[in-house]
């Protein structure tokens, strides 16, 4: 606001008073970010969404940014969307891991193969900036093997008393050994 102060100088017998106009400019206050969870636990291959909002006590226009977006993530209009890929965690294959993998909820709770990804959201009004980190713990999930080639194809015609050669070529993206099981439907 505007204030008037008076300064007086005197030599003991005479004095002079001068009015001085003082203008106090408002101080910019920092914006604030609102994010529901500061820590999330997700499985590889599990898409999740997070909303980020910002407010400013001075009603300044705000810009919300994500400083270090992980591969495949998007952040637009305050909505962060990401599905961590199956290569996010460099985990180990074990009996416990294979058991937990069958149950996504148990995998999130008890699997120790994990990778922490830090998201750094920020809001600025052009003068002040605030940063809000969010910790995302990504749990390892097993990927299904990939069938590269099958012979014969999905449909084949067989002749009575004639042999048919079956062949399958598969690989496992996690590097696990692949075993084969044939089901002829009998």
């Amino acid at each position: 606001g505007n204030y008037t102060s008076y300064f007086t100088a005197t030599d003991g017998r005479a004095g002079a008073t001068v009015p001085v106009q003082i203008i106090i400019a408002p101080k910019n206050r920092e914006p604030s970010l609102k994010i529901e969870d500061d820590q999330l636990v997700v499985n590889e291959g599990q898409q999740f969404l997070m909303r980020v909002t910002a407010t400013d006590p001075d009603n300044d226009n705000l810009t919300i940014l994500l400083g270090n977006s992980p591969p495949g993530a998007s952040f637009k209009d305050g909505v962060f969307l990401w599905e961590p890929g199956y290569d996010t965690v460099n985990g180990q294959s074990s009996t416990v891991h294979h058991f937990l993998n069958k149950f996504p909820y148990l995998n999130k709770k008890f699997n120790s193969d994990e990778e922490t990804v830090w998201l750094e959201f920020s809001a600025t009004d052009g003068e002040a900036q605030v940063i809000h980190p969010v910790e995302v713990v990504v749990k390892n999930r097993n990927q299904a093997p990939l069938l590269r080639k099958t012979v014969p194809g999905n449909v084949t015609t067989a002749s009575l008393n004639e042999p048919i050669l079956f062949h399958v070529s598969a690989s496992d993206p996690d590097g696990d050994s692949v075993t084969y099981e044939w089901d002829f439907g009998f």
Side-chain angles (χ1 to χ4, degrees):
N2 294 331
Y3 300 92
T4 303
S5 293
Y6 297 93
F7 293 95
T8 302
T10 181
D11 62 2
R13 290 187 221 143
T17 300
V18 177
V20 176
Q21 187 76 22
I22 299 174
I23 301 171
I24 300 176
K27 180 180 177 186
N28 184 46
R29 294 174 286 179
E30 289 185 341
S32 63
L33 279 167
K34 182 179 180 205
I35 301 172
E36 193 168 315
D37 295 312
D38 291 336
Q39 183 187 41
L40 296 167
V41 178
V42 297
N43 288 319
E44 285 179 323
Q46 175 191 350
Q47 187 179 66
F48 69 96
L49 179 137
M50 184 183 333
R51 296 191 189 283
V52 180
T53 58
T55 57
D56 186 80
D58 303 319
N59 292 321
D60 294 332
N61 289 328
L62 297 176
T63 303
I64 304 172
L65 302 168
L66 173 59
N68 53 341
S69 183
S74 68
F75 183 63
K76 184 177 180 184
D77 299 328
V79 176
F80 175 78
L81 184 65
W82 185 37
E83 181 178 321
Y86 285 98
D87 57 351
T88 304
V89 180
N90 294 321
Q92 301 176 30
S93 182
S94 68
T95 305
V96 172
H97 173 73
H98 287 292
F99 172 76
L100 291 174
N101 188 66
K102 295 176 185 178
F103 309 98
Y105 176 78
L106 293 178
N107 192 70
K108 281 175 39 175
K109 291 291 184 189
F110 300 112
N111 191 346
S112 60
D113 280 345
E114 62 187 34
E115 187 72 35
T116 299
V117 177
W118 286 96
L119 304 174
E120 191 174 278
F121 294 98
S122 64
T124 181
D125 62 5
E127 291 181 41
Q129 180 181 20
V130 293
I131 296 173
H132 188 123
V134 174
E135 179 184 22
V136 179
V137 178
V138 181
K139 299 289 187 154
N140 191 20
R141 287 294 308 270
N142 187 42
Q143 298 178 72
L146 301 172
L147 289 174
R148 303 271 184 221
K149 183 178 179 184
T150 59
V151 175
N154 290 343
V155 177
T156 188
T157 302
S159 299
L160 189 61
N161 296 322
E162 291 287 324
I164 299 176
L165 176 65
F166 288 91
H167 173 77
V168 65
S169 173
S171 64
D172 188 82
D174 295 319
D176 297 334
S177 63
V178 178
T179 59
Y180 301 91
E181 182 178 306
W182 299 93
D183 180 0
F184 295 101
F186 301 139

